[in-house]
Amino acid sequence: MPEAGSPVPLVVAGGGAAGFMAAITAAEAGVPQVQLWEATAEPLSKVRISGGGRCNVTHACWDPRELVGHYPRGSRPLRGPFSRFAAGDAVAWFADRGVELVEEADGRMFPASNRSSSVIEALRQAARSAGVQLLPKRALQGVRPIEGGGFALQARGDSTSVVAQRLLLATGGHPSGRQLAQALGHQVVAPVPSLFTLRVQAPWLNALAGLSQSPVAMELSVGEERFRQQGIVLLTHWGLSGPGVLRLTAFAARALQQQRYLAELRLNWCGGVNESVVRDELSQARQGLAKKQLANGRPELLMPLRRRLWLALLQQAGLDPALSWAELPRRGEQALLELLVRCRLPVTGRGPFGEEFVTAGGVELGEVNLSSMESRLVGGLYFAGELLDIDGVTGGFNFQHCWSSGWIAGQAIAKGLT
């Protein structure tokens, strides 16, 4: 295979968040030539569509020790990288390039413009200013290590090869990156979907599609394993969605895949309040709300429940909403209590639309030096972003890992080349 031109100091494969950050960082730190290869015609496409077109850049979680708790895979290994570049550093990095990030009530951080195009333009402008050569429609198809150091790279549809002194793979969840890593001798943890909704067979609940409830405590039983989370739950015509459910499925991703997405979900609609406390509230309502109808009067503890959900719970418990609290039978009270604190729902699969945005799996972390993102097996080979066996929950955490790993890789590459 003929080789084209002089060696390129650095080729970054993958024009997403991690690839752009690595390329910009390396170029700004002095690497004289950086080529950024992107297989598609449109780099940063995931950035463009993320957050409903707003781009959830990061999360206002400033302590690295707390930040790592939002990563079902990679939490402990990320302590080192996040001590060097974490959420505060990402905020400052974008501010220096003209993008102010604004914190929302739940901690998510978006550009002040509320447009992902602001983030994309900042990244592209930074790359242009640093001299990064962006090469769209250039997919890395083959890699061959060269004796003495460097790599011969073959792009799809090109008979010549490019020699690169350093190679960084930042191909996200696309299978091509995993295949290249394996061809270079790396172990790859098989990818499975993460951050997805749950299909639940419960017609009485499915009929409430569009309703959201918070806080809801959840316990998911998958085989012999138990997973717990608390947060917002959105009811859909097929099951459950919302930030709380997405976080739950992220931590349970592998167990669910192994059990073919069959599980039992228990919901505490009272946000995890102890059963005895809820029982006391119901008993006291017999006197305090004696003349009130069940439909129109509720103990204070149950006031956060949406009215439609409350009425559905009454009906599911076999209770007439027009019944007064004084007339509430003991058997009905017990059935209502069970639904409030331990609502059992059969999980029969994932949501129907393939909406999972992240995969759990990738290059085995033990084979990567996370202080530099360099391969421990192949000198001069680096990794960043979702290609690694690291994934976070929803809320800006996956992008934060991309910024951190890309920045660390770029710094390390520049240090080795300049």
Side-chain angles (χ1 to χ4, degrees):
M1 182 189 303
E3 295 173 355
S6 303
V8 178
L10 171 61
V11 169
V12 176
F20 260 82
M21 177 60 87
I24 293 166
T25 302
E28 289 182 344
V31 176
Q33 184 184 10
V34 178
Q35 289 187 1
L36 179 54
W37 295 15
E38 165 56 31
T40 70
E42 187 62 35
L44 298 167
S45 58
K46 185 176 278 191
V47 172
R48 184 174 299 281
I49 64 174
S50 70
R54 298 169 62 209
C55 188
N56 184 185
V57 175
T58 187
H59 201 97
C61 185
W62 312 118
D63 186 344
R65 293 170 298 182
E66 180 184 348
L67 183 59
V68 298
H70 298 279
Y71 294 83
R73 266 76 42 188
S75 59
R76 184 169 295 180
L78 280 173
R79 291 177 184 176
F82 283 159
S83 69
R84 298 177 58 199
F85 193 99
D89 302 290
V91 172
W93 193 94
F94 280 99
D96 288 344
R97 290 155 181 83
V99 179
E100 178 190 359
L101 299 182
V102 178
E103 179 184 349
E104 298 200 339
D106 60 3
R108 294 179 300 163
M109 302 196 74
F110 294 88
S113 67
N114 259 336
R115 295 179 180 273
S116 60
S117 56
S118 299
V119 178
I120 292 172
E121 182 52 36
L123 290 165
R124 296 193 70 148
Q125 179 57 46
R128 284 193 294 268
S129 298
V132 174
Q133 296 174 263
L134 176 59
L135 303 174
K137 295 184 180 180
R138 190 168 182 82
L140 180 59
Q141 182 171 283
V143 179
R144 176 173 55 84
I146 298 173
E147 188 176 350
F151 305 89
L153 311 179
Q154 183 185 6
R156 185 181 299 127
D158 193 341
S159 60
T160 60
S161 64
V162 173
V163 174
Q165 292 176 268
R166 301 288 187 273
L167 171 64
L168 185 143
L169 296 180
T171 50
H174 196 276
S176 63
R178 297 192 293 270
Q179 292 165 3
L180 290 169
Q182 288 177 312
L184 290 165
H186 275 276
Q187 296 292 317
V188 172
V189 179
V192 299
S194 183
L195 294 176
F196 50 86
T197 62
L198 292 173
R199 185 182 291 275
V200 171
Q201 279 189 328
W204 67 274
L205 206 57
N206 303 148
L208 303 176
L211 183 149
S212 65
Q213 182 65 47
S214 178
V216 179
M218 296 165 279
E219 180 180 274
L220 186 66
S221 299
V222 191
E224 299 298 319
E225 299 185 73
R226 303 289 182 272
F227 301 88
R228 297 177 178 86
Q229 289 294 330
Q230 182 168 309
I232 300 173
V233 170
L234 173 65
L235 306 183
T236 72
H237 65 270
W238 71 83
L240 302 176
S241 183
V245 173
L246 295 179
R247 185 179 178 94
L248 180 68
T249 60
F251 280 91
R254 290 209 170 277
L256 281 166
Q257 191 269 343
Q258 291 168 2
Q259 294 295 324
R260 300 182 179 180
Y261 301 98
L262 301 177
E264 182 185 72
L265 180 64
R266 297 183 185 183
L267 302 179
N268 182 321
W269 297 108
C270 303
V273 174
N274 187 275
E275 179 178 346
S276 61
V277 175
V278 179
R279 179 185 289 108
D280 289 344
E281 287 280 321
L282 294 178
S283 296
Q284 291 170 17
R286 290 176 177 279
Q287 294 181 338
L289 299 171
K291 296 182 180 181
K292 289 275 190 180
Q293 291 183 342
L294 298 179
N296 300 324
R298 276 178 273 168
E300 185 176 350
L301 178 66
L302 303 182
M303 289 304 292
L305 288 175
R306 298 297 182 93
R307 178 174 171 79
R308 286 175 60 209
L309 176 60
W310 171 243
L311 293 176
L313 289 168
L314 290 175
Q315 292 172 350
Q316 189 66 13
L319 296 170
D320 182 352
L323 205 66
S324 72
W325 279 95
E327 298 170 322
L328 175 64
R330 292 293 181 185
R331 182 178 299 177
E333 178 184 328
Q334 183 59 39
L336 182 59
L337 175 65
E338 182 73 13
L339 283 168
L340 287 168
V341 301
R342 203 162 32 255
C343 182
R344 300 169 187 264
L345 301 170
V347 174
T348 59
R350 289 184 283 144
F353 301 127
E355 70 289 336
E356 53 274 358
F357 201 55
V358 173
T359 55
V363 174
E364 172 64 53
L365 296 185
E367 299 177 350
V368 180
N369 182 348
L370 296 186
S371 67
S372 63
M373 299 297 156
E374 185 175 13
S375 165
R376 295 184 186 275
L377 309 182
V378 183
L381 174 65
Y382 295 77
F383 300 97
E386 195 182 343
L387 177 57
L388 292 163
D389 184 25
I390 294 173
D391 62 285
V393 299
T394 185
F397 298 103
N398 286 293
F399 273 138
Q400 181 56 54
H401 161 54
C402 290
W403 311 133
S404 296
S405 58
W407 185 88
I408 289 171
Q411 289 282 331
I413 291 167
K415 184 176 180 180
L417 287 174
T418 58

